[in-house]
Amino acid sequence: MRYERASAGQRSWPIWFTKPRRRLFLIAVVVILAVSTFFVSKGSDHFAAVTGSRSDVKATEQVFLAASVLIDNLGSPVPPPQLTAHWLLTSHPIARGGNDVVASHYPWIDGNGHFVPLSPSKAAALQRAQANVIRRLFAGRRPEGALPQTLDELAQVIHEESGRNPTLSGPGGASIVSWLRVTIVHDVATLEAHVNVWESTPTLKKHGSQDDLVTQVNTSQVDALASMKRIGSHWMITKLSQGPWQQAT
């Protein structure tokens, strides 16, 4: 059967498509588009399905980001009068030019241009203070758990900042690029995201009888995966891993 072209502004409908059916069809299309728009807008933030209540999703994402920021500030001496918790959980932005971060500088160099290493007492105090903040976010008693691994890393970083030839640790930060999954079932959660991370690395260069402090910023994007557990009223990270991000093929 041959159908004639519809006139301008009109559409030719099949014979079986009566006005009541056409009305139902249009209503169904509107509903489908509305539902699709909702899920697309929700998925655009995560690029993956999200399982869990809105409050739990928000809470776990905040802990995930806070832990990512802490890792890149780990062991960095806190310039007075900054508070340790605020210093560790602040994502210090990269300065214009990309060769430093926007943060208060620790006084590694004294007024005479000489390097001031961490004394044993300051190193011990720094380790205790930062360990207290770590215990607010991380949990786990086994050696492979997030808490003992992070505490061990803290001890290693601070140890390397002491001595005659120290490796200095500067502040850094982290930001979420995209969420890959947020799965929450009762009191257990798994979160994965692509994360931009950066940390500053102060180095010392001799200039005559004085030391010059030169800072570099190392940046990368990682695929971070965290396991969490609700302990009391708080979400705690039990496992955390960060691997190099790779473009899917």
Side-chain angles (χ1 to χ4, degrees):
M1 180 180 294
R2 182 174 61 87
Y3 293 93
E4 295 182 358
R5 186 185 300 272
S7 61
Q10 295 180 336
R11 182 189 181 104
S12 60
W13 301 89
I15 294 175
W16 58 267
F17 211 85
T18 60
K19 285 186 178 180
R21 290 180 176 176
R22 189 186 312 170
R23 187 176 298 110
L24 291 174
F25 175 79
L26 293 175
I27 293 173
V29 169
V30 171
V31 172
I32 291 172
L33 289 176
V35 173
S36 299
T37 301
F38 171 79
F39 281 107
V40 168
S41 63
K42 184 177 180 60
S44 63
D45 292 334
H46 297 84
F47 300 97
V50 177
T51 303
S53 68
R54 181 175 298 181
S55 59
D56 282 340
V57 169
K58 182 178 180 181
T60 54
E61 287 181 350
Q62 289 177 340
V63 172
F64 182 99
L65 179 58
S68 300
V69 171
L70 182 147
I71 292 298
D72 289 288
N73 286 321
L74 195 65
S76 173
V78 182
Q82 297 276 349
L83 298 177
T84 301
H86 182 267
W87 177 259
L88 280 183
L89 301 178
T90 295
S91 186
H92 305 285
I94 299 175
R96 184 176 297 180
N99 59 349
D100 204 349
V101 295
V102 181
S104 302
H105 288 281
Y106 184 80
W108 290 111
I109 308 296
D110 64 17
N112 296 321
H114 296 149
F115 174 63
V116 181
L118 283 178
S119 65
S121 60
K122 285 187 176 181
L126 179 65
Q127 186 167 342
R128 286 194 302 270
Q130 295 199 3
N132 288 335
V133 181
I134 290 171
R135 290 189 179 94
R136 301 180 193 177
L137 297 176
F138 297 90
R141 296 181 179 179
R142 296 182 178 181
E144 67 274 14
L147 177 58
Q149 285 189 345
T150 308
L151 291 175
D152 288 346
E153 185 177 353
L154 170 65
Q156 181 179 351
V157 171
I158 293 179
H159 174 73
E160 293 176 350
E161 290 177 322
S162 307
R164 296 182 178 180
N165 298 306
T167 300
L168 309 185
S169 179
S175 63
I176 304 298
V177 178
S178 61
W179 292 103
L180 303 179
R181 59 172 153 156
V182 179
T183 305
I184 303 171
V185 180
H186 301 300
D187 293 333
V188 177
T190 302
L191 282 77
E192 184 177 9
H194 287 157
V195 185
N196 280 336
V197 296
W198 61 91
E199 57 183 3
S200 57
T201 305
T203 57
L204 296 172
K205 290 188 177 180
K206 281 291 184 181
H207 184 74
S209 61
Q210 296 184 345
D211 294 315
D212 287 339
L213 193 66
V214 180
T215 303
Q216 295 179 340
V217 178
N218 303 314
T219 63
S220 62
Q221 187 173 118
V222 299
D223 186 341
L225 177 64
S227 298
M228 296 189 192
K229 185 176 181 180
R230 195 199 314 266
I231 300 176
S233 59
H234 301 285
W235 285 98
M236 307 283 286
I237 293 180
T238 55
K239 288 186 179 180
L240 178 65
S241 62
Q242 294 183 344
W245 177 83
Q246 294 181 346
Q247 179 68 42
T249 57

